[in-house]
Amino acid sequence: MSDFLHTALLWLEQASAWLEAFWLAIVAPVGVGLAVWVTVHVAQHKRDARAAAAWTGLVWLVPFLGALLYLLLGVNRIQRRARQLTGGGIDTLESTESVAEDTVQAPQLRVLSRLVGRLTRLPLTAGNRVTMHEAREALHLMAQAVDEAQHSVFMATYIFGNDAAGKPLAEALTRAAARGVQVRVLLDGVGALYSLPSVTWRLRKGGVRVERFLHSVAPWRMPYMNLRNHRKLMIVDHTLGFTGGMNVRAGYVREPARTHDLHARLEGPVVGHLLRTFAADWMFTCGEKLTAEYQGQQAPGTVRARGISAGPDADFDKRRLTLFAAIGSAEREIRIVTPYFVPDQTLMAALQLALLKGVKVELVVPRKNNLRLVQWASIHALKWLVRGGAHLYLSAPPFDHSKVMTVDGHWVQLGSGNWDARSLRLNFEFDLECYDGPLAEQVNTLIDGRIAGARRMDDADFQAMAGWRNVRNALAHMLEPYL
């Protein structure tokens, strides 16, 4: 045995000496090989030239670590993984409806309607009722709808707090499951960690079926950590829907509120678009196929609406192209409320062209953002729009998480998506486009209320800004592809 140990130690000593002499000759080719592989993969699969350049620079400047980060964060395997889980069922679900053209009252928006229809392969549904609510009221209405549910409750959200807002809703879901209602709750794998302990244990203890989207407790088994499900959906009895930008968090219900938000209550055929999106996400996550047919009234209202499901899979770029087309369709005014405004250059150029065309552009962003780096980058981007004639308003605290947009007093977009790279390229988002004058008027009234308490920031304010702040904001904006 001693001879064996002696031989082994001698072998290890020789191997160590050999590695010490030749490690650079081994490591260097491996590092170069990884960098070449990543470069080729990036060139073939990245549509955004800036993202491709950034990843390429990273893997060459930071060997090994850059390649590891690309494997974890840069490779999109969502489509392949979806087919593995569903056997192609998710693709079938996403293409069950064909494009149906429709007309709208505003002539300049008919081309937009046709374009979004071709982009999403979904019809513009008529006869919907869409009602906007502030977050506190929306949470109450959602819990009430769950208590009145008879057959099913499907819910997807990014954050579901185990707090003053989440506990009442969790209790309502538990009561629904106890009386035999089919309850399915989908939480994002990262968003579920915003509240510790997570609300998942409370829901499962109450008999609620809960799944987490792209979740793993082991980081090395989490190849999709940069791709998050940011959608906010609730569908009750296949007839009633809720969607918007609201998470389930205590900040909405505290006195005084720490966060503002807007959410919509939906009735009508467009609820079927929420159903299809939730069913596809649920099938992707756990393989269970749900019934996704709308079963409510065909014309409870007058709003024409369509769901826009966007994400880094087959729905890539749908949201950005919709925004681009909506901006180009505007003839009079564009009004945007968003918590995070760091758009890419194509959207910036579209807004600048709208200003040159004579369109009034109004942007409302929080005076104090919850993400400081995003706020700095946002101010840098907004500076150029203000110089071009845009009206910028900084809404007073509390933090406004609302995400709405109106065009020419007739087109409305609401949903989960922000004006940043994460929402435009990485997150799974769900937005709703609506064609209706009275709804646009309601949303514009809500925007007017935010502007009334806001401070306008004009070009003189930017000119007076300290030089070091301009440098800080510009440096932050250089990170736009990652924000």
Side-chain angles (χ1 to χ4, degrees):
M1 188 67 178
S2 59
D3 291 341
F4 174 78
L5 288 175
H6 177 74
T7 303
L9 289 173
L10 183 62
W11 182 86
L12 287 173
E13 184 178 347
Q14 293 173 343
S16 177
W18 186 84
L19 285 174
E20 185 176 353
F22 297 102
W23 72 270
L24 186 61
I26 298 172
V27 170
V30 173
V32 170
L34 283 172
V36 169
W37 175 83
V38 171
T39 301
V40 172
H41 195 275
V42 163
Q44 290 180 318
H45 294 91
K46 293 296 179 186
R47 304 188 193 186
D48 190 330
R50 295 171 306 150
W55 280 117
T56 302
L58 182 65
V59 298
W60 284 100
L61 293 173
V62 190
F64 294 101
L65 177 59
L68 177 63
L69 289 173
Y70 180 71
L71 286 171
L72 289 174
L73 304 177
V75 179
N76 183 359
R77 294 179 286 270
I78 290 295
Q79 285 182 276
R80 178 168 58 84
R81 176 62 173 159
R83 291 190 180 95
Q84 289 175 351
L85 288 172
T86 67
I90 191 171
D91 298 324
T92 303
L93 184 63
E94 287 294 332
S95 59
T96 53
E97 296 184 24
S98 59
V99 174
E101 292 188 9
D102 203 346
T103 58
V104 296
Q105 294 177 6
Q108 76 272 22
L109 297 177
R110 290 174 185 168
V111 174
L112 174 62
S113 171
R114 187 161 56 248
L115 184 152
V116 180
R118 292 175 179 175
L119 186 64
T120 62
R121 295 183 297 166
L122 289 174
L124 183 66
T125 63
N128 300 286
R129 180 181 295 142
V130 180
T131 311
M132 301 298 299
H133 296 281
E134 295 287 353
R136 181 190 298 270
E137 185 180 10
L139 284 167
H140 171 74
L141 291 173
M142 289 166 64
Q144 182 180 28
V146 173
D147 277 329
E148 295 173 356
Q150 299 180 13
H151 306 292
S152 63
V153 176
F154 302 150
M155 179 181 175
T157 188
Y158 180 62
I159 300 174
F160 194 140
N162 187 20
D163 52 28
K167 288 177 182 177
L169 186 56
E171 291 169 0
L173 292 166
T174 297
R175 290 192 294 269
R179 63 177 183 268
V181 174
Q182 183 187 37
V183 181
R184 299 289 185 269
V185 177
L186 180 63
L187 306 180
D188 181 74
V190 171
L193 302 177
Y194 273 66
S195 181
L196 295 174
S198 174
V199 76
T200 53
W201 71 267
R202 182 182 297 276
L203 292 169
R204 287 171 177 163
K205 183 179 178 181
V208 176
R209 174 81 181 274
V210 183
E211 297 290 343
R212 285 179 284 187
F213 185 87
L214 296 180
H215 170 78
S216 174
V217 294
W220 57 87
R221 295 181 59 195
M222 189 68 172
Y224 318 104
M225 63 178 65
N226 208 32
L227 307 176
R228 308 316 326 155
N229 193 328
H230 196 241
R231 294 166 178 158
K232 286 89 174 178
L233 307 169
M234 177 181 279
I235 309 99
V236 178
D237 290 341
H238 290 67
T239 62
L240 175 65
F242 294 88
T243 193
M246 184 189 71
N247 290 297
V248 182
R249 306 198 78 177
Y252 298 124
V253 299
R254 287 178 177 167
E255 291 290 354
R258 296 184 181 178
T259 310
H260 283 166
D261 218 326
L262 290 173
H263 221 57
R265 182 181 186 273
L266 313 176
E267 297 173 83
V270 77
V271 174
H273 294 181
L274 277 69
L275 271 167
R276 295 171 75 257
T277 298
F278 180 87
D281 287 349
W282 186 261
M283 183 187 292
F284 170 85
T285 303
C286 65
E288 181 185 14
K289 186 173 183 179
L290 300 173
T291 302
E293 288 79 21
Y294 171 67
Q295 298 175 5
Q297 298 180 50
Q298 289 303 310
T302 60
V303 178
R304 302 183 183 211
R306 172 170 31 223
I308 303 170
S309 179
D313 54 356
D315 291 329
F316 183 79
D317 235 15
K318 289 182 180 180
R319 185 168 184 274
R320 188 179 69 86
L321 290 175
T322 297
L323 292 173
F324 194 82
I327 294 168
S329 299
E331 293 186 351
R332 294 187 293 106
E333 68 171 16
I334 299 169
R335 311 185 82 189
I336 300 168
V337 179
T338 180
Y340 312 114
F341 185 83
V342 195
D344 61 23
Q345 287 302 309
T346 60
L347 290 175
M348 284 288 290
L351 288 168
Q352 289 170 326
L353 287 172
L355 288 166
L356 290 172
K357 196 168 63 174
V359 175
K360 181 180 181 181
V361 177
E362 294 182 311
L363 300 118
V364 184
V365 300
R367 186 183 306 173
K368 186 176 181 180
N369 205 297
N370 65 335
L371 300 176
R372 192 63 60 87
L373 189 64
V374 173
Q375 182 172 13
W376 297 338
S378 177
I379 291 297
H380 181 77
L382 289 163
K383 174 176 65 177
W384 305 108
L385 293 177
V386 170
R387 287 182 180 177
H391 295 192
L392 171 61
Y393 298 95
L394 306 181
S395 59
F399 175 63
D400 193 352
H401 194 251
S402 307
K403 315 161 197 292
V404 292
M405 174 181 177
T406 67
V407 172
D408 289 349
H410 191 82
W411 186 82
V412 177
Q413 186 192 53
L414 61 101
S416 64
N418 298 305
W419 287 67
D420 58 16
R422 184 160 297 282
S423 281
L424 292 168
R425 294 200 301 269
L426 298 175
N427 286 346
F428 292 84
E429 306 283 3
F430 184 88
D431 292 294
L432 200 70
E433 67 155 356
C434 305
Y435 298 79
D436 186 69
L439 176 63
E441 183 178 358
Q442 181 192 5
V443 175
N444 280 331
T445 299
L446 292 169
I447 295 175
D448 289 338
R450 280 154 168 76
I451 290 176
R455 178 175 70 86
R456 183 170 176 183
M457 190 172 184
D458 56 24
D459 190 45
D461 295 311
F462 283 103
Q463 295 289 349
M465 187 175 292
W468 69 269
R469 292 182 184 274
N470 282 312
V471 172
R472 177 200 64 189
N473 297 344
L475 290 174
H477 191 263
M478 291 176 65
L479 300 174
E480 176 267 319
Y482 309 101
L483 298 177

